[in-house]
Amino acid sequence: MAVSQSFKTAGLLKELMAKYYEQGNLAREQGLPVVWVTAVSPVELVYAAGLFPYYPENFGALAAARKVADKISLAAEARGFFSDLCGYARCGLGDAYAKEHPVGKIVPPDLLFSCNTQCGSLQKWFETAARMYRAPYFLLDAPLIEAPTTRLIKNYFVEQLEEAINFFEVATRTPFNFDRLAEVLALANEACRLWNEILDMAALKPAPFGFFDACFHMAPIVTWRGTKEAVMYYRELKKELEDRLDKKIYAVPGERFKIYWDHIPVWPKLRWFSELFAEHGALVAVSQYTHSWAYQFDLDRPLESMAENYSEGFSNRCFEDRINLKTSFMKKYQVDGFVLFSNRSCKPTAFGLYDKRSIISERTGLPGIVFEADMSDLRYFSDEQVRDKFTVFFEQLAAK
Ligand code: SF4
């Protein structure tokens, strides 16, 4: 199976991403403040405030995909940052100290804005960066949700969104434009709708698209959610996939199995994994990771609806909710087995995976595997060990 570089839209994506990075480098010269943001935070406020959002996590993923994350991390580790930290944080911090910049230099922030729905690592990384760059930092705090979201949690979140708006007003010396926010939210709704329709095509048998393709095409939903470019991009991609379906071009020719993959891919091994699965006729069809951007905002109550969408991320939920979310995806996509990635970098998603495997197999009857590696750092990846583990898994699938 070829990963998505063979898609026509891949060229468009490269062009748009190059423009985005160029804009990041030019923003400060043009007097446009750069705001560091996190992947699961209300970037719609940043766009509505007319600021430039920059994603250091995206920088880490890019370095990982280009197989240089470990090299950049060494510069952070030499300054005393522990090698057990999230690989994205090590890359972001390392690049600030490094003499060489194999993926370009990380753009320094004028402001930092994060939400801890995802994890505590981002919060600490951004705190460190705020001190390093002497830039103001706003943290949106999302309490852990152990039951349906309460009114108290929503109010707490909404009040913080109001404070964040004030934070941007002070920085821009301009009153916040709620009409512009409505436009941005409408564009985000449309991009999320298209993105999730595209992801759902992986449920078709055989499917024209799978998780490894989604990992390539997800940059706009993370980075430009709330812009016309993201909507345009997913319209083009959807058209291309419909065309592929007409022409019977499938992600895995001779698809035999569908697989659920938990969370992030191993970025420097994306092609390696896609080829390994394709050799066995297996399509990784779904992951809760790429489904994280499934927001739908109510334009009549923007802040409350942002609070609902952003406080309920899967890594901010209790153990039972996380299992239910995974099994609901497995059911919807009718998978034949599942893979849980124990990601050394990402403690909040790696905890309890061996228990989760037993519970999920018991409830669904599906074979599952847990494997250990790091999403970005090849020092913690062994081709032989991982291949051996997966060989047993594929035998289990074939024997079903
Ligand atoms: S990979 Fe995990 S630890 Fe790192 S920023 Fe993402 S959620 Fe946080």
Side-chain angles (χ1 to χ4, degrees), residues 11-73:
L12 177 62
L13 181 60
K14 281 181 189 158
E15 201 182 296
L16 291 170
M17 281 313 285
K19 264 195 208 151
Y20 169 75
Y21 284 120
E22 194 185 313
Q23 204 188 337
N25 289 324
L26 293 175
R28 297 181 110 194
E29 287 169 28
Q30 295 167 346
L32 180 64
V34 172
V35 187
W36 272 24
V37 285
T38 52
V40 184
S41 61
V43 68
E44 293 80 9
L45 291 184
V46 179
Y47 277 118
L51 301 162
F52 181 80
Y54 182 82
Y55 290 80
E57 285 162 87
N58 191 300
F59 178 88
L62 185 67
R66 297 207 183 148
K67 301 183 174 55
V68 290
D70 37 6
K71 193 174 168 204
I72 301 176
S73 295

Side-chain angles (χ1 to χ4, degrees), residues 285-301:
V286 55
S287 162
Q288 63 186 4
Y289 173 56
T290 42
H291 279 80
S292 299
W293 297 273
Y295 308 127
Q296 281 304 309
F297 304 105
D298 181 345
L299 304 191
D300 291 330
R301 40 182 207 99

Side-chain angles (χ1 to χ4, degrees), residues 192-243:
C192 287
R193 186 186 65 76
L194 288 162
W195 174 238
N196 284 275
E197 282 175 7
I198 288 167
L199 293 178
D200 280 350
M201 286 191 186
L204 298 170
K205 286 185 183 171
F209 187 84
F211 168 64
F212 297 121
D213 301 306
C215 289
F216 181 80
H217 292 282
M218 66 188 280
I221 201 64
V222 180
T223 315
W224 312 321
R225 198 171 61 253
T227 69
K228 288 183 183 140
E229 284 79 5
V231 172
M232 179 272 285
Y233 183 75
Y234 288 123
R235 280 192 186 136
E236 287 303 312
L237 179 58
K238 195 166 170 229
K239 243 191 268 165
E240 184 172 2
L241 285 166
E242 284 161 353
D243 185 50

Side-chain angles (χ1 to χ4, degrees), residues 324-339:
N324 289 340
L325 186 63
K326 294 178 210 308
T327 52
S328 66
F329 280 128
M330 290 176 199
K331 196 168 166 200
K332 179 174 175 191
Y333 284 75
Q334 298 193 353
V335 301
D336 302 286
F338 62 93
V339 174

Side-chain angles (χ1 to χ4, degrees), residues 12 23 43 61 105-106 121 129 133 135 140 145 162 187 193 234 278 289 317 329 341 348 353 372 386 395:
L12 177 62
Q23 204 188 337
V43 68
K105 204 165 178 354
I106 195 161
S121 305
Y133 295 107
L140 198 53
I145 294 168
E162 286 163 353
L187 288 166
R193 186 186 65 76
Y234 288 123
Y289 173 56
R317 320 245 3 161
F329 280 128
F341 171 21
L353 288 186
E372 290 168 28
V386 175
E395 282 168 6

Side-chain angles (χ1 to χ4, degrees), residues 307-360:
E308 287 155 6
N309 277 278
Y310 282 108
S311 62
E312 298 179 4
F314 68 82
S315 55
N316 199 35
R317 320 245 3 161
C318 66
F319 191 83
E320 186 61 25
D321 280 6
R322 292 189 195 200
I323 289 183
N324 289 340
L325 186 63
K326 294 178 210 308
T327 52
S328 66
F329 280 128
M330 290 176 199
K331 196 168 166 200
K332 179 174 175 191
Y333 284 75
Q334 298 193 353
V335 301
D336 302 286
F338 62 93
V339 174
L340 304 181
F341 171 21
S342 181
N343 181 355
R344 196 174 182 278
S345 264
C346 189
K347 316 292 180 285
T349 55
F351 96 97
L353 288 186
Y354 288 92
D355 288 336
K356 283 179 188 157
R357 180 183 58 182
S358 309
I359 294 168
I360 294 170

Side-chain angles (χ1 to χ4, degrees), residues 59 72-73 75-76 90-107 133:
F59 178 88
I72 301 176
S73 295
R90 276 183 286 130
C91 266
L93 293 165
D95 192 74
Y97 296 118
K99 291 203 171 63
E100 288 172 32
H101 306 282
V103 287
K105 204 165 178 354
I106 195 161
V107 178
Y133 295 107

Side-chain angles (χ1 to χ4, degrees), residues 71-92:
K71 193 174 168 204
I72 301 176
S73 295
L74 285 173
E77 289 166 34
R79 297 278 177 144
F81 291 99
F82 195 33
S83 64
D84 263 350
L85 283 176
C86 165
Y88 294 161
R90 276 183 286 130
C91 266

